[in-house]
Amino acid sequence: GLTMRIFNGPELFIVGAIAAAIFIPASAVSGEGESGDAPVTSIKSVDLARYAGLWHEIAKIPNRFQDQCVRNTTAMYTLRDDGKITVLNSCIEDDGKLDTAEGIARIEDSPDNGGRSRLKVSFVSFLGWRPFWGDYWIIGLDQEYRWAVVGTPNRKYGWVLARTPTLDEAAMNEVFAVLQANGYEWDAFEMSRP
C-alpha cells in the first residue's frame, strides 16, 4: 500500500533544501554572465530611501515565478532598521485573486558595490534561514526616480519598473538605451498589463 513518511528535524531541512535546489534555477542565484558578452553594469549610486516605496512593473523577461501574474504587478520596498529592505511583490492572477510574495533584500557585499545599487533578494526561508539569494542589480534609474531598470549579471532576468502604471515614449526610449547598453535584447521582454 501507500506509505506516508513524515520528516522532522534535520530530515525536514534536508528535504526542503533538496526541493528548493530542484525548483529554483541555478541562474537565479549565480552571478555568472554569458561568455563573450559585455558585462552588465549597475548604476554608480542609488539613494535607497528614495528608491523605497511602490513600483509598477512595466515590462519583464518572462519567468516561471511570475507565470500566475496577468496584470497589476507591483513591488513595494520598505527600508528596515537593520539596513535590509522588505520586498512585497503582488499581482492579479487570471481568476482575479491577489497573489503576493514577501522577501528580503540586502546590499550586496562586494568591493565594487560602493554605490549600493547591487542587491541580493531572497523569497525562500527555512525557519528564518535564507539559503538562496538572487541578484537584483539596478542598471538604470531616472534622475527623479520615476523609472528603474533592474537586471542580473547573466541577463536571464530583467524588469522595467515605474512609479506609475505606464511610461511615456520618451521614458521608454531611455529604458531601451539602458537595456541596449547592458546587452539586453528588448525582444526578450514582454509588456505588463496595468
Side-chain angles (χ1 to χ4, degrees), residues 13-34:
F13 171 76
I14 292 167
V15 169
I18 291 169
I22 291 169
F23 292 109
I24 296 177
S27 58
V29 293
S30 106
E32 298 175 11
E34 300 294 320

Side-chain angles (χ1 to χ4, degrees), residues 64-129:
R64 67 177 174 204
F65 49 87
Q66 285 185 280
D67 279 345
Q68 75 284 7
C69 296
V70 295
R71 63 183 170 85
N72 197 26
T73 301
T74 61
M76 173 64 83
Y77 303 115
T78 307
L79 296 179
R80 298 169 19 150
D81 292 338
D82 64 3
K84 294 182 177 144
I85 301 162
T86 298
V87 180
L88 180 62
N89 291 340
S90 64
C91 68
I92 303 296
E93 298 178 340
D94 201 27
D95 61 5
K97 290 184 182 171
L98 179 69
D99 179 69
T100 62
E102 187 167 337
I104 301 286
R106 62 176 167 78
I107 298 166
E108 180 181 289
D109 185 20
S110 68
D112 56 348
N113 191 29
R116 302 163 45 109
S117 60
R118 295 181 183 179
L119 305 176
K120 294 284 190 179
V121 180
S122 175
F123 289 93
V124 178
S125 175
F126 298 108
L127 305 173
W129 179 61

Side-chain angles (χ1 to χ4, degrees), residues 143-162:
Q143 263 185 263
E144 301 301 319
Y145 287 65
R146 292 175 299 200
W147 57 262
V149 181
V150 176
T152 59
N154 61 11
R155 295 180 190 85
K156 182 167 182 172
Y157 301 99
W159 293 268
V160 177
L161 307 173

Side-chain angles (χ1 to χ4, degrees), residues 41-62:
T41 306
S42 60
I43 61 172
K44 291 191 184 339
S45 69
V46 62
D47 177 346
L48 292 175
R50 283 185 72 191
Y51 194 80
L54 182 66
W55 290 90
H56 297 267
E57 182 185 271
I58 302 300
K60 70 174 179 290
I61 294 177

